[in-house]
């Protein structure tokens, strides 16, 4: 899926969360959105998920304006917030069944795929447990299972590498993200940790105060910052976001 944001602005009351953002993302990319608290990272993800709409500008999916009321378009997108929303009184298995039904992904073979993921994430012993009894990391694993099984074209992940998952869960996340990108899906994930952008993303989007400071590969960001080829991302970020560190 090709994603375009054209001069997008989003306000909450008198506060501007995003200011005239323009961006194009091609299929098969893994993009880290890097910025401090309040930079606009989550707002950007929510706009792309259709949870919020822009006050100005357009969001295009494959050159078609994104209609938040078009459930066919929404099914092409998977959004995983930092605290995933599950049905608290429903079991793990029931939550996953609901997710697959909403995405119309409950086709033959889906059950095997879900079971494989549950095993890889060490969730099989918990499948009959109500979601409200799960830890944050376990709940994130359940939501991740649903996202991977639904296989959307656009993955939107809010702080996934600070989700409370154990190393086993993080390893599965990295594996599945790489696999989805290889199939042509586009993945955007937010983080405040520069080292988690440096070793996992194909491209980095630096955002601060609701505006894009830079977007590109590490080599391109180094060139934009006038930094030498060996400069690390932390150094680049301090230059590109205009902070004084």
């Amino acid at each position: 899926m090709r994603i375009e944001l054209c001069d997008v602005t989003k306000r909450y009351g008198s506060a501007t969360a995003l200011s005239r953002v323009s961006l194009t993302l091609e299929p098969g990319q893994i993009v880290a959105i890097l910025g401090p608290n309040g930079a606009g990272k989550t707002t950007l993800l929510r706009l792309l998920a259709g949870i919020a709409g822009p006050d100005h500008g357009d969001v295009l999916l494959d050159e078609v304006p994104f209609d938040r009321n078009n459930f066919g378009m929404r099914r092409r997108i998977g959004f995983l917030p930092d605290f995933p929303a599950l049905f608290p009184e429903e079991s793990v298995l029931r939550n996953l069944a609901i997710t697959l039904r909403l995405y119309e992904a409950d086709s033959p073979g889906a059950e095997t795929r879900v079971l494989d993921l549950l095993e890889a994430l060490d969730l099989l012993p918990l499948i009959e447990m109500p979601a409200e009894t799960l830890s944050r990391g376990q709940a994130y694993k359940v939501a991740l299972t649903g996202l991977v099984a639904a296989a959307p074209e656009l993955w939107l992940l809010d702080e996934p590498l600070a989700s409370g998952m154990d190393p086993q869960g993080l390893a599965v996340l990295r594996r599945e993200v790489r696999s989805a990108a290889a199939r042509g899906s586009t993945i955007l994930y937010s983080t405040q940790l520069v080292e988690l952008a440096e070793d996992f993303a194909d491209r980095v989007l630096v955002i601060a105060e609701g505006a894009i400071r830079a977007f590109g590969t590490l080599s391109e960001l180094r060139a934009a910052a006038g930094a030498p080829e060996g400069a690390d991302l932390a150094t680049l970020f301090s230059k590109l976001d205009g902070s004084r560190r």
Side-chain angles (χ1 to χ4, degrees):
M1 180 191 293
R2 189 172 194 262
I3 300 107
E4 296 172 84
L5 288 90
C6 307
D7 203 27
V8 167
T9 294
K10 178 63 181 177
R11 301 182 184 89
Y12 294 103
S14 61
T16 300
L18 291 176
S19 178
R20 308 196 70 173
V21 169
S22 293
L23 178 69
T24 299
L25 301 172
E26 301 293 344
Q29 292 183 351
I30 302 174
V31 178
I33 308 171
L34 186 65
N37 286 333
K41 303 187 301 296
T42 298
T43 296
L44 177 58
L45 293 175
R46 288 170 60 86
L47 283 175
L48 290 172
I51 296 170
D55 295 308
H56 178 270
D58 298 297
V59 178
L60 306 179
L61 306 182
D62 287 336
E63 301 183 352
V64 177
F66 183 20
D67 179 1
R68 297 167 59 209
N69 297 314
N70 184 324
F71 288 101
M73 298 185 82
R74 295 281 290 269
R75 288 189 188 101
R76 301 175 66 189
I77 301 166
F79 177 52
L80 188 48
D82 54 351
F83 287 90
L86 301 175
F87 294 95
E89 296 181 0
E90 300 287 354
S91 69
V92 166
L93 208 54
R94 178 62 179 158
N95 267 279
L96 292 171
I98 292 170
T99 298
L100 294 181
R101 178 62 60 86
L102 289 172
Y103 276 89
E104 297 184 349
D106 50 348
S107 56
E111 181 178 334
T112 299
R113 178 66 172 146
V114 167
L115 289 174
D116 288 345
L117 287 164
L118 290 172
E119 182 175 15
L121 291 165
D122 198 26
L123 290 174
L124 282 177
L126 306 177
I127 58 174
E128 297 298 335
M129 298 288 291
E132 62 188 355
T133 66
L134 303 176
S135 69
R136 181 190 175 197
Q138 290 169 336
Y140 201 93
K141 286 182 179 181
V142 173
L144 176 63
T145 298
L147 175 67
V148 174
E153 298 172 57
L154 174 60
W155 293 31
L156 304 169
L157 311 174
D158 199 4
E159 298 284 354
L161 301 175
S163 60
M165 288 195 296
D166 54 26
Q168 181 181 9
L170 293 173
V172 171
L173 170 69
R174 288 172 176 265
R175 182 192 73 198
E176 295 297 337
V177 164
R178 285 290 178 197
S179 179
R183 296 193 302 269
S185 292
T186 304
I187 293 91
L188 277 78
Y189 72 94
S190 64
T191 182
Q192 299 177 57
L193 305 175
V194 291
E195 64 272 18
L196 297 182
E198 190 164 18
D199 72 351
F200 189 46
D202 301 321
R203 296 165 74 83
V204 176
L205 175 67
V206 179
I207 186 170
E209 298 179 343
I212 294 176
R213 303 300 194 206
F215 176 55
T217 64
L218 275 179
S219 293
E220 291 167 342
L221 264 57
R222 290 184 181 112
E229 184 61 29
D232 61 27
L233 187 54
T235 300
L236 297 179
F237 180 58
S238 67
K239 293 177 178 291
L240 293 167
D241 79 348
S243 63
R244 297 177 181 177
R245 302 190 200 185

